[in-house]
Amino acid sequence: IFQPVSEKMSIDKALVQKIPLLTVSAGPRDPEWIKRLEQEYASLIKYVQLNKEQDHDWFRVESNKDGTRWFGKCWYIHNYEKYEFTVQFDIPVAYPTTAPEIELPELEGKTAKMYRGGKICLTDHFYPLWARNASRFGVAHALALGLGPWLAAEVPYMIANGRLAPPEKKENK
């Protein structure tokens, strides 16, 4: 049975358990940061592969040269309409003890589950989970356990309340 991405976006525990945990506990100012960054990329690559195997491709991200600023696109499909958003976040100085604050700038002010600057609210559910797994979780886990479930909860709500309009259709010429 075909499932739109929105129905598949709830947390898939079996999938999340396949995302490699990180072993190097280092932040951007630590001498071991390059080793940590290598593990971040490996974990993220594995997560992307797992998503593609399940036909659940929903984001593209990349980082600046030193791995401290991440940016890209994420999308959510609701009623067979694709809603695409810019996603960005900085790696905090206290990382990995402190989780990154994920931003969706164009959604700022459209939901109460968001802070100034378009930072999504993850305090009740994701941050306690991150705290229990600090240093083992990385960017891939933040996307899988933070951004994905947030999109699944908030995008349909914003659409239902008229705060998010369907994307414009491009005419074939």
Side-chain angles (χ1 to χ4, degrees):
I1 293 177
F2 171 78
Q3 288 180 310
V5 171
S6 59
E7 292 177 21
K8 293 165 59 174
M9 205 154 215
S10 60
I11 296 175
D12 180 346
K13 290 180 183 180
L15 175 72
V16 171
Q17 289 174 347
K18 292 179 184 176
I19 300 171
L21 296 174
L22 289 78
T23 59
V24 176
S25 182
R29 294 185 179 173
D30 295 323
E32 298 285 306
W33 175 242
I34 298 302
K35 289 181 183 175
R36 171 69 183 215
L37 197 52
E38 289 171 359
Q39 288 187 349
E40 291 281 0
Y41 288 131
S43 181
L44 191 57
I45 288 167
K46 180 64 176 176
Y47 181 45
V48 168
Q49 288 172 341
L50 292 167
N51 279 331
K52 287 186 181 212
E53 287 170 9
Q54 294 188 0
D55 195 26
H56 185 207
D57 191 27
W58 63 277
F59 69 89
R60 295 271 183 279
V61 294
E62 60 185 281
S63 74
N64 63 0
K65 184 179 175 183
D66 58 3
T68 57
R69 177 107 177 118
W70 293 74
F71 47 90
K73 295 285 184 184
C74 64
W75 51 91
Y76 183 85
I77 297 176
H78 181 74
N79 292 335
Y80 301 99
E81 296 275 359
K82 182 178 180 182
Y83 295 80
E84 187 171 278
F85 313 105
T86 297
V87 60
Q88 60 193 29
F89 53 94
D90 293 319
I91 298 296
V93 174
Y95 188 84
T97 305
T98 303
E101 293 181 325
I102 301 170
E103 302 171 34
L104 301 172
E106 63 254 72
L107 295 182
E108 182 177 7
K110 295 184 185 265
T111 174
K113 302 284 174 75
M114 184 167 275
Y115 301 115
R116 187 173 297 155
K119 293 179 180 174
I120 65 175
C121 176
L122 297 172
T123 54
D124 291 340
H125 304 289
F126 176 68
Y127 289 152
L129 181 61
W130 183 280
R132 286 193 304 275
N133 293 280
S135 82
R136 295 181 297 165
F137 276 6
V139 169
H141 299 89
L143 295 172
L145 297 168
L147 180 59
W150 188 92
L151 288 170
E154 292 302 310
V155 170
Y157 173 80
M158 288 184 279
I159 294 167
N161 288 304
R163 294 186 177 145
L164 193 58
E168 294 181 21
K169 301 226 186 267
K170 295 179 182 176
E171 293 182 32
N172 293 331
K173 293 185 179 182

